Amino acid sequence: MLGKDSILDIDFNELYRQQRRRSSFGPRSRADWDRRAEARSRNEKGSDYARQLLARLDLDGVETVLDVGCGSGNLALPLARRVRRVHALDFSAEMLRLLRANARAEGVRNVVAHRRAWTDDWARVPRADLVLCSRAMDVDDLRAALEKMTVHARRRCCLTMHASPTFLSADVYRTLRRSVVPRPGYLYAVNVLYQMGFRASVNFLRTVGGLDYAAPEQFVDGIRWRLGSLTPAEERRLLAYFRGLPRTPEGKTRYRHEFTWAVLAWETAPR
């Protein structure tokens, strides 16, 4: 007789909530992403992350995709060329406006936009063969979000979450002279899925992120977007750090840092 696995007694969803509350990185609202949408859309074009993830997605038997947290379409639009239909879901009206504009510009006609948040009713969101959530698991209730993904997936789910402790390079934190509490990472999702009865596979993407900045204020604003308010002393130190960064041939200042992303995948139907 097989005894009970004690890992099932651990409330990983509550541990996730606690870590999220302690984290130095706060949640983002619809209004936050509406304001950030234009810059994010520009920066995602030609993304190394998107190329790597698209190359790894298992599209065997997939005709329809639900892209949760689709943004302006950096994954939805290339996927639309490989499947019959993509349902693109985001809570930011501005992101969805840019998605539609990018789809028109690229001649893509098989993407359907849905304005929904994780906490909204998804009863009218269609099921799809593959449910994809890329870097958009910004939720308070992890288990409820994973259950929504699973219920809407006919075949499989794919989720990417941060596998590095923070969103910025170590030298920025040294410059700020700040200690940072990380956001809850992918291991919480692996264990919640295990408790739900799913054995997720885990692989990793290693990418280089960062931007080219025309002005130092843009760089400081980007750090503020990640960490919230900055003291005047922190801003002065960041400006000094910025002046030491390399310049591009176009005269902009380049900031780069490495990311590691965990790619979780689980089957919702037998092969």
Side-chain angles (χ1 to χ4, degrees):
M1 183 176 180
L2 185 63
K4 184 181 178 182
D5 187 345
S6 59
I7 197 172
L8 299 177
D9 294 327
I10 302 171
D11 191 342
F12 287 102
N13 204 42
E14 179 57 28
L15 292 175
Y16 167 92
R17 280 195 182 101
Q18 292 173 14
Q19 183 64 27
R20 178 175 160 83
R21 285 194 291 267
R22 286 194 298 265
S23 170
S24 302
F25 304 91
R28 296 287 178 260
S29 67
R30 281 183 169 96
D32 290 332
W33 281 112
D34 284 346
R35 287 191 294 271
R36 195 77 173 175
E38 190 77 46
R40 181 65 177 263
S41 181
R42 284 196 308 271
N43 298 337
E44 289 293 333
K45 287 182 169 61
S47 158
D48 176 51
Y49 166 86
R51 283 194 300 270
Q52 289 195 51
L53 181 58
L54 288 166
R56 293 196 188 195
L57 284 179
D58 181 1
L59 297 180
D60 182 34
V62 171
E63 293 188 357
T64 55
V65 174
L66 172 60
D67 181 5
V68 181
C70 63
S72 58
N74 66 310
L75 297 173
L77 298 183
L79 280 170
R81 298 186 179 91
R82 300 168 63 183
V83 301
R84 180 170 55 83
R85 188 172 301 280
V86 174
H87 294 280
L89 184 149
D90 206 290
F91 74 164
S92 164
E94 184 63 12
M95 282 292 193
L96 293 178
R97 184 191 70 78
L98 292 168
L99 167 76
R100 294 185 182 100
N102 291 338
R104 285 194 299 271
E106 296 182 25
V108 174
R109 298 182 179 181
N110 58 334
V111 174
V112 181
H114 304 265
R115 190 181 178 197
R116 296 285 192 286
W118 281 108
T119 52
D120 290 339
D121 183 0
W122 285 19
R124 301 182 70 177
V125 176
R127 297 183 73 214
D129 298 322
L130 169 67
V131 175
L132 169 66
C133 174
S134 166
R135 305 184 297 188
M137 190 53 79
D138 187 12
V139 296
D140 188 56
D141 190 336
L142 177 62
R143 181 167 184 134
L146 293 172
E147 287 173 346
K148 271 188 171 175
M149 288 183 67
T150 302
V151 164
H152 277 76
R154 292 194 188 93
R155 288 183 174 270
R156 66 188 65 95
C157 294
C158 179
L159 165 68
T160 65
M161 295 180 71
H162 214 289
S164 302
T166 69
F167 292 97
L168 297 165
S169 58
D171 53 346
V172 167
Y173 296 118
R174 285 193 294 270
T175 299
L176 290 169
R177 301 174 193 169
R178 252 194 211 198
S179 61
V180 175
V181 179
R183 295 183 73 175
Y186 72 99
L187 287 173
Y188 293 90
V190 170
N191 284 292
V192 171
L193 284 166
Y194 179 85
Q195 293 177 332
M196 290 168 55
F198 298 100
R199 308 298 184 260
S201 65
V202 182
N203 290 285
F204 297 94
L205 296 181
R206 290 175 175 82
T207 66
V208 176
L211 299 172
D212 296 340
Y213 294 94
E217 293 77 14
Q218 294 175 346
F219 174 71
V220 173
D221 186 58
I223 304 299
R224 193 181 292 111
W225 162 260
R226 293 294 190 193
L227 294 177
S229 61
L230 300 168
T231 68
E234 287 175 331
E235 291 190 12
R236 287 193 296 272
R237 289 195 292 271
L238 284 172
L239 291 172
Y241 170 83
F242 181 84
R243 288 193 290 271
L245 292 173
R247 305 276 285 183
T248 70
E250 298 76 23
K252 293 186 176 182
T253 300
R254 175 161 293 171
Y255 169 68
R256 291 290 184 268
H257 56 103
E258 294 182 352
F259 282 112
T260 303
W261 300 96
V263 183
L264 282 61
W266 63 101
E267 299 290 320
T268 62
R271 287 273 188 170

